[in-house]
Amino acid sequence: MGFFTDTSVCIGCKACEVACKEWNMIPEDGLNFTGMSYDNSEGLSADTWRHVAFIEQRLPLGEQETSGARPASAGGGGAPVDLGMPSFDLPGAQTGEAERGDFRWLMSSDVCKHCTHAACLDVCPTGSLFRTEYGTVVVQEDICNGCGYCVPACPYGVIDKREDDGRVWKCTLCYDRLGDGLEPACAKACPTDSIQFGDLDELRERAAGRVERLHEEGITSARLYGDDPDDGVGGAGAFFLLLDEPEVYGLPPDPVVTTRDLPDIWKHAGVAALTLLAGLTATFVRRRG
Amino acid sequence: MSTSDVTKQGMRGARPGREALTGSKRVRRRRGDRHAMVPEAEFRSYYGKPVLNQVPWAATDIAGYLFLGGLAGASSVLAAGAELTGRPDLARAMKVGALGAISGSVVALVHDLGRPARFVNMLRVCKPSSPMSMGSWLLAGYGPLAGAAAATSVTGLFPRLGTAATLGAGLVGPAVASYTAPLICDTAVPSWHEGYRQMPFVFVGSGAAAAGGLGMLAAPVGQAGPARRAAVLGAGLELAATELMERRMGMVAEPYRTGRAGALMRAAKTLTAAGAVGGALLGGRSRLASALSGAALIAGSACTRFGVFHAGVQSAADPKYTVVPQRERVRESGLISDQPKVPKAREASEPAAG
């Protein structure tokens, strides 16, 4: 089971962030203004399991491509319809389209990827992280000893250590709700169905259809991220439809499970250990001989 | 495509002209060749925020742990050698040093965990996929051996048991000195992971240099010969492996040369080289020179571990070190081009626009 997050319909309402906090009783993580954008939760952390990124881009309005996302059958080809509401003029309406600012917003709700090859789970020295019957990755909080090894091991920067209790926390994909036949809180709260929950194979099929549809509408920048079961993490349990490169959303372009090189790492360490033993032995042998 | 950005450092790049017309054919053409206009090397990120979460370890705890583990492991090997070749003073110094260092490293580890009881959770499982799990079991085996070796050496009780423990610790010692390299390299931190081939050699070299330094500092000049040779050997290995590692890493080696990590690595090189040369030339003649060289070697080894630690922290803090190498890898593999995916749909949409 997993998530498909279709960022092309995300409106940045952050309902998922709030629903996640409410359901999982996650402590407040600072009411601060970052000054970098309207995004004040910055990224995933021990106390932010869903994070909505706000990407402001200086792109011409023509590239916003929102009109293309409307179904052709709706008619009008995306032209604005006057609803007769009292309003101010649109910015730049007096001066013409060319004078309007180049600007677009991309919004994307990020979450733990629940990797098929999960580095956090691999490196956990206590067995606190485990794979559930739903194929998701969950931390057992009573066993986590706060060593923090999973934090630098995660290639996505998801799992994090909570300052005051010293243990690590991350999205559980609402393990408790799944057991009761409920969908995760974030997916439940999403008003635009940007976050979809379900069987991964079915979601991948749906996502591929959505990308095809967007391409047909001329939105060629749409691409899937994390959907490939042959990628560096064996396919993510949470994948995304993005409208720009992954790094623009704060995602790594080509994440690889950190333990992929581990056999090679152990081999090099073994040779180094033998080198040390042989070298130090030689310091004595030479004297005798 | 964004050509200008307001950053903390002010305005970057130039504002694009206003020739773009909404919905016109010219917009599409502009988008078509926009990749030609943007320099390939331009690196994008989410407001410069790191991709990875920061290493949650305290430098004094974990860098200290890396240093003390190396010192202890290599000291035990020297202690075993000294025991077998009849150098009792050197052997005692190395055994006590190994016990002190390994005790310090366990204290550092437990301090980082927060509560001593949490260490017990480490022994719930035995996972080769987790270097920290392997390390915990290594410590659980090595610690008592090093303790028994030092205790019997100081008190003179149970000499046979002491010899067995000394040899045992000497055999496990190299693993204790080297496993900390997999510990930090088996992470997504670019400046650690990329160096996984050379890092174990940097660490065992550094451990040998520190142990040799300890021997020169604590044992009489007459018995410290192997310690001096160990120091020279270790220092040479450490310096060579560090150099090779930085060359092989490419841009990810930058953190080893900048900021706090750069300063520490430079200090490490100077101290280690000075200690090794001083020890080799003067260590055999003067007790003072021997002690000074030994101290320099120990300090150099500590600087290496702190430098490596901070280089990792610096590389995780800057998204550049995560994104740029991965982007290059993607480009080389040709799996995902910089152009949007599925050009077929793009072609289909072009005639409609034209």
Side-chain angles (χ1 to χ4, degrees), chain A residues 109-171:
Chain A
S109 180
D110 193 13
V111 70
C112 171
K113 316 301 179 292
H114 295 279
C115 311
T116 306
H117 306 310
C120 58
L121 194 156
D122 283 347
V123 305
C124 176
T126 66
S128 166
L129 278 146
F130 71 107
R131 191 168 301 280
T132 70
E133 64 271 38
Y134 304 103
T136 56
V137 180
V138 173
V139 189
Q140 299 179 76
E141 56 211 57
D142 53 338
I143 290 170
C144 173
N145 71 348
C147 74
Y149 199 14
C150 49
V151 179
C154 175
Y156 293 101
V158 171
I159 197 163
D160 206 2
K161 194 166 172 174
R162 189 174 285 166
E163 278 304 314
D164 57 354
D165 84 353
R167 291 177 295 176
V168 296
W169 301 83
K170 72 169 193 72
C171 161

Side-chain angles (χ1 to χ4, degrees), chain A residues 59-66 104, chain B residues 1 27 30-31 34:
Chain A
L59 282 178
L61 278 174
E63 293 216 6
Q64 193 157 6
E65 302 178 316
T66 46
R104 78 162 176 176
Chain B
M1 172 56 62
V27 172
R30 215 181 100 133
R31 190 172 35 159
R34 72 171 184 214

Side-chain angles (χ1 to χ4, degrees), chain A residues 212-223:
Chain A
E212 206 174 303
R213 167 88 189 289
L214 287 173
H215 284 169
E216 277 168 17
E217 297 283 352
I219 303 170
T220 51
S221 57
R223 88 272 322 262

Side-chain angles (χ1 to χ4, degrees), chain B residues 8 12 34 51 93 103 105 120 129-130 164 173 209 211 225 233 243 288 290 336 340:
Chain B
K8 278 179 189 162
R12 259 195 348 197
R34 72 171 184 214
V51 171
S103 308
S105 82
V120 179
S129 72
S130 170
L233 212 70
E243 182 63 28
L288 180 69
S290 177
I336 307 164

Side-chain angles (χ1 to χ4, degrees), chain A residues 36-37 39 42-45 51-63 65 97-102 105 120-129 140 142-149 151-161 165-167 211-212 215-224 227 244-262 264-266 268-277 279-284 286-288, chain B residues 1-6 15-18 20-23 27-28 30-31 34 44-47 49-57 73-74 77-82 84-85 87 90 112-113 118-119 121-125 127-134 136 170-171 173-175 177-179 181-189 192-193 196-198 200-201 204-205 207-208 222 225-230 233 237 322-323 326-327 329-330 336-342 345-346 349:
Chain A
M36 66 177 191
S37 75
D39 173 17
E42 298 186 60
L44 295 174
S45 72
H51 165 249
V52 181
F54 285 54
I55 297 123
E56 298 178 7
Q57 292 186 323
R58 297 230 167 261
L59 282 178
L61 278 174
E63 293 216 6
E65 302 178 316
E97 285 176 338
E99 292 299 309
R100 290 177 198 162
D102 292 344
W105 244 339
C120 58
L121 194 156
D122 283 347
V123 305
C124 176
T126 66
S128 166
L129 278 146
Q140 299 179 76
D142 53 338
I143 290 170
C144 173
N145 71 348
C147 74
Y149 199 14
V151 179
C154 175
Y156 293 101
V158 171
I159 197 163
D160 206 2
K161 194 166 172 174
D165 84 353
R167 291 177 295 176
V211 171
E212 206 174 303
H215 284 169
E216 277 168 17
E217 297 283 352
I219 303 170
T220 51
S221 57
R223 88 272 322 262
L224 293 179
D227 63 315
D244 204 336
E245 299 293 348
E247 57 265 34
V248 172
Y249 295 86
L251 297 163
D254 184 27
V256 169
V257 58
T258 43
T259 41
R260 190 178 69 177
D261 297 321
L262 192 58
D264 209 20
I265 294 175
W266 279 128
H268 282 88
V271 174
L274 291 177
T275 305
L276 179 67
L277 190 60
L280 292 187
T281 306
T283 62
F284 292 96
R286 220 199 307 168
R287 180 56 131 196
R288 275 156 124 208
Chain B
M1 172 56 62
S2 167
T3 53
S4 72
D5 257 323
V6 183
R15 292 263 298 143
R18 285 273 188 266
L21 294 172
T22 306
V27 172
R28 286 199 177 275
R30 215 181 100 133
R31 190 172 35 159
R34 72 171 184 214
R44 296 194 290 166
S45 73
Y46 184 64
Y47 300 104
K49 305 284 298 173
V51 171
L52 305 176
N53 280 337
Q54 192 47 274
V55 183
W57 300 326
V77 183
L78 281 183
L84 290 177
T85 55
R87 293 182 172 87
L90 178 64
D112 201 60
L113 294 178
R118 283 181 170 172
F119 182 78
N121 283 13
M122 295 274 197
L123 306 177
R124 277 183 81 245
V125 291
K127 283 168 78 174
S129 72
S130 170
M132 195 180 280
S133 170
M134 293 287 96
S136 303
L171 284 175
S178 65
Y179 94 88
L183 178 74
I184 64 163
C185 292
D186 186 32
T187 59
V189 175
W192 288 345
H193 192 95
Y196 76 81
R197 291 174 188 84
Q198 293 83 31
F201 296 94
V204 297
R228 284 194 294 276
R229 285 192 290 277
L233 212 70
L237 180 61
T322 306
V323 171
Q326 291 191 19
R327 181 51 68 198
R329 192 163 68 206
V330 169
I336 307 164
S337 75
D338 223 17
Q339 302 286 334
K341 254 189 195 172
V342 196
R346 191 187 173 85
S349 72

